[in-house]
Amino acid sequence: MSMLKGANVPVPTRDLRVELGWRSGPGVPDVDASALLLVSGKVRSDADFVFYNQATHPSGSVRHDGKRTAGGSVTDALTVRLPQVEPSVERVVLAASADGGAFGRVPDLYIRVVDAADGTELARYESRDATVETAFILGELYRRQGGWKFRAVGQGYGTGLAGLATDFGITVDEPQQPVPRQRPATAPAPTPAPAPAPPAPTWTAPPPAPPAPPAAPAAPTAPVRLSKVTLTKEAPTVSLAKQGGSSGAMRVNLNWEMRKQFRGWGAKRGRAVAQHSDLDLDLCALYELTDGSKGVVQALGNAFGALRRPPYIHLDGDDRTGAVATGENLTVNLDHKDAFRRILVFVTIYEGARSFADLHATVTLTPQHGAPVEFFLDECTVPSTVCALALITRQGSDLVVQREARYLVPPRGVSPQRTVDREYGWGMNWTPGRK
């Protein structure tokens, strides 16, 4: 049952999942969830802002989990671990921002709070009166008499995520405005008359020094950067150079929500019990360098690559959780971008599932300089065990990222790696391997 604006309801002090949902379609802006941890109505520092470019609070109490799609519906989720919220934090504001339009064009917008352990819905608020707003505070979690409550807020902003964040004390990195050009004067300005000499000073006792102001929290080393690029079927490519990402390290992250398997009915509470499957995904990259050399970076065969020597691509590790703070990560050294001809980033299922069905994954490329690039995998409807994620190609002195998001079905007896190789014409020889 949906709550009315301003209504509140108690929630248990345990791990909660906050889902922001809407219905996608042509012309519908992308929507992002965020959270602000407040003390006396303001953040203590920019670290108290959790969103797509700053996914985890230092305390571990709030985490941005990312988007998932199912049919025509999209959700962007946050995990709030109420037992870990610092005692000084009084409120956790739950916000939404629209990218590419106003909320009046976002149908069926809602926020709901569910128990992270069993999925029981604890609170739900549906926004039905949005017009020109580009950011919303949809709800908040706040302390009351030793416990926690959720309040449906529904407060809109016309200034986007930047305006909302600034209101709570966040320092936002915005493009500098050009300095207006000064028009030359038509005549030289008159020379000002010399100022009269000051009177001879007389000694007086100095006033007492004012008391020292209270120490302020340390300022963040850099303002929060809100810019990002979302690749879609309609706009699948982006130039890294045009986004400022032409040097330094670029992290490629894959995070996912693990598929759940039904295990039966709980004897004590009489409800369905779901348990995470032991899903193991492997993030990989085929590369071709300008000197003609080719290869693969993957956990299979311990081919983790290298960052400071060819192929200038390194696989950070092998993760099984899919968490946005970890997940599977590749790092590409953009200081050697001239060495790359093309890079194909792909993912395989090593074990734990027969296909990508019911897997909800997000791919994020984060250059050291420039805006992050993200996209989401479509729903898988074929028995695929390998998915081509992104193709990075050199075009002149630039690298261009193209969203692929293609589920491939390996023929019987053909490995996922060989399937990707054939599809993209890499022409490598493959031998069996293990990790």
Side-chain angles (χ1 to χ4, degrees), residues 228-288:
K228 68 166 183 172
V229 177
T230 300
L231 300 183
T232 63
K233 291 181 180 179
E234 295 73 23
T237 63
V238 64
S239 159
L240 288 181
K242 289 181 180 179
Q243 298 298 324
S246 57
S247 63
M250 179 176 71
R251 188 185 69 176
V252 183
N253 173 266
L254 173 71
N255 71 81
W256 64 90
E257 181 181 348
M258 298 177 70
R259 182 172 61 89
K260 294 182 178 181
Q261 293 178 335
F262 182 71
R263 297 295 190 189
W265 292 93
K268 292 185 178 180
R269 297 189 180 183
R271 63 172 178 259
V273 177
Q275 183 175 345
H276 291 303
S277 63
D278 191 18
L279 178 63
D280 185 8
L281 301 184
D282 283 342
L283 187 64
C284 315
L286 284 169
Y287 63 84
E288 182 179 0

Side-chain angles (χ1 to χ4, degrees), residues 281-321:
L281 301 184
D282 283 342
L283 187 64
C284 315
L286 284 169
Y287 63 84
E288 182 179 0
L289 305 183
T290 53
D291 63 5
S293 58
K294 301 177 182 180
V296 64
V297 175
Q298 60 179 4
L300 197 65
N302 295 321
F304 288 93
L307 203 57
R308 293 186 181 8
R309 53 183 172 82
Y312 306 112
I313 305 169
H314 182 254
L315 178 63
D316 295 358
D318 186 21
D319 182 75
R320 292 191 178 210
T321 67

Side-chain angles (χ1 to χ4, degrees), residues 384-395:
S384 170
T385 56
V386 57
C387 180
L389 300 177
L391 182 63
I392 305 171
T393 55
R394 181 179 174 186
Q395 297 185 11

Side-chain angles (χ1 to χ4, degrees), residues 314-373:
H314 182 254
L315 178 63
D316 295 358
D318 186 21
D319 182 75
R320 292 191 178 210
T321 67
V324 68
T326 54
E328 292 268 324
N329 292 279
L330 281 164
T331 305
V332 180
N333 189 343
L334 296 181
D335 290 335
H336 293 273
K337 63 180 183 300
D338 292 341
F340 300 124
R341 181 171 293 164
R342 56 177 179 160
I343 303 169
L344 178 68
V345 182
F346 65 99
V347 58
T348 68
I349 297 177
Y350 184 72
E351 64 182 9
R354 295 182 178 180
S355 77
F356 286 105
D358 298 325
L359 175 72
H360 309 287
T362 304
V363 180
T364 307
L365 292 81
T366 307
Q368 186 173 339
H369 310 288
V373 178

Side-chain angles (χ1 to χ4, degrees), residues 124-138:
R124 183 185 184 96
Y125 169 62
E126 297 174 359
S127 175
R128 302 183 183 276
D129 54 357
T131 54
V132 298
E133 299 87 354
T134 50
F136 257 103
I137 298 176
L138 291 176

